[in-house]
């Protein structure tokens, strides 16, 4: 049974109910708070949550309330933001510049991406286990054995390809920069950047995991920046 999640929406009971229904459909039990003050009371009474799912919505006390929650909680955060309200994230970003357990997702995202972001937020906060398993749709990554499965099919990747593949999946819909790719492939060794070698490694990851149009995910080159993995609609 999955551990406890908390869903928090500020604007309306309809909005809170919709998010809770989505979490429930994904197999997550949630507890509802209609304001950050009530969540803060629960945290100060030593209630523990597996993940705090917070809808970032502008109000006069947002900065101070959010700072208090961030100071008290050790749980990972998933911020849900309406497409028209993304500037709020930049307004409060200084509060969690050093935090490593925060994920952000648009409210209009698919259930698949919502589940991805929950999984990533929890993974960042959990102690790293050598035998941990990460799952995205039909893909399963076994970190201890460094094996990738697509359904019942075992896909063969070498060490660098495996680490690079996980990096792409952990940054769904975000660009993984050339510098980051270089650090993974060359394991942070200070060697000259070799674009052809890096491109060859990326091509192997794309081919072996079938990250192309017609599949579940596509890996695209972003000109002069890096690569981005995107989930495709079924």
């Amino acid at each position: 049974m999955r551990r406890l999640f908390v869903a928090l929406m500020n604007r309306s009971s309809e909005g809170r109910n919709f998010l809770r229904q989505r979490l429930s459909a994904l197999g997550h039990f949630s507890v509802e708070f209609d304001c950050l003050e009530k969540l803060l009371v629960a945290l100060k009474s030593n209630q523990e949550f597996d993940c705090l799912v917070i809808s970032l919505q502008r109000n006069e006390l947002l900065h101070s309330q959010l700072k208090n929650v961030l100071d008290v909680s050790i749980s990972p955060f998933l911020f849900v933001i309406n497409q028209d309200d993304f500037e709020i994230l930049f307004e409060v970003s200084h509060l969690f510049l050093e935090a490593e357990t925060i994920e952000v997702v648009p409210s209009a995202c698919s259930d698949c991406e919502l589940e991805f972001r929950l999984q990533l937020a929890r993974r960042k906060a959990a102690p790293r286990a050598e035998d941990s398993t990460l799952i995205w749709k039909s893909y399963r990554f076994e970190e201890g054995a460094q094996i990738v499965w697509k359904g019942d099919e075992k896909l063969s990747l070498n060490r660098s390809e495996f680490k690079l593949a996980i990096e792409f999946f952990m940054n769904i819909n975000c660009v993984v920069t050339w510098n980051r790719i270089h650090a993974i492939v060359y394991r942070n060794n200070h060697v000259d950047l070799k674009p052809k070698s890096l491109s060859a490694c990326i091509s192997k990851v794309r081919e072996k995991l079938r990250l192309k149009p017609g599949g579940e995910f596509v890996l695209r080159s972003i000109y002069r920046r890096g690569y981005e993995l995107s989930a495709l609609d079924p």
Side-chain angles (χ1 to χ4, degrees), residues 145-159:
Q146 295 200 341
I147 295 173
V148 184
W149 298 84
K150 181 171 172 41
D152 295 328
E153 181 184 359
K154 181 179 177 180
L155 307 178
S156 177
L157 279 73
N158 65 30
R159 179 183 177 86

Side-chain angles (χ1 to χ4, degrees), residues 79-147:
F79 292 133
V80 181
I81 309 178
N82 292 330
Q83 191 67 39
D84 295 335
D85 293 334
F86 260 85
E87 69 274 9
I88 299 174
L89 180 64
F90 297 100
E91 294 172 9
V92 300
S93 61
H94 65 281
L95 297 176
F96 46 85
L97 286 176
E98 298 181 359
E100 297 181 353
T101 57
I102 291 176
E103 287 289 328
V104 179
V105 70
S107 57
C109 71
S110 66
D111 286 346
C112 182
E113 184 166 0
L114 178 60
E115 175 63 26
F116 284 159
R117 297 302 177 188
L118 284 170
Q119 185 178 172
L120 293 180
R122 296 173 69 191
R123 182 179 184 273
K124 288 179 178 180
R128 189 64 175 267
E130 292 185 356
D131 60 347
S132 61
T133 299
L134 305 176
I135 299 173
W136 291 272
K137 289 191 176 180
S138 66
Y139 292 85
R140 186 172 80 254
F141 290 77
E142 296 180 3
E143 289 197 274
Q146 295 200 341
I147 295 173

Side-chain angles (χ1 to χ4, degrees), residues 44-56:
K44 288 184 175 179
S45 66
N46 295 321
Q47 291 191 44
E48 296 182 0
F49 302 101
D50 196 30
C51 186
L52 302 181
V53 183
I54 298 179
S55 177
L56 276 186

Side-chain angles (χ1 to χ4, degrees), residues 51-90:
C51 186
L52 302 181
V53 183
I54 298 179
S55 177
L56 276 186
Q57 298 162 341
R58 183 177 283 105
N59 66 61
E60 295 179 356
L61 300 176
L62 177 62
H63 287 70
S64 59
Q65 291 174 346
L66 188 56
K67 184 179 186 304
N68 289 335
V69 171
L70 288 167
D71 287 344
V72 172
S73 177
I74 60 173
S75 302
F77 291 81
L78 177 65
F79 292 133
V80 181
I81 309 178
N82 292 330
Q83 191 67 39
D84 295 335
D85 293 334
F86 260 85
E87 69 274 9
I88 299 174
L89 180 64
F90 297 100

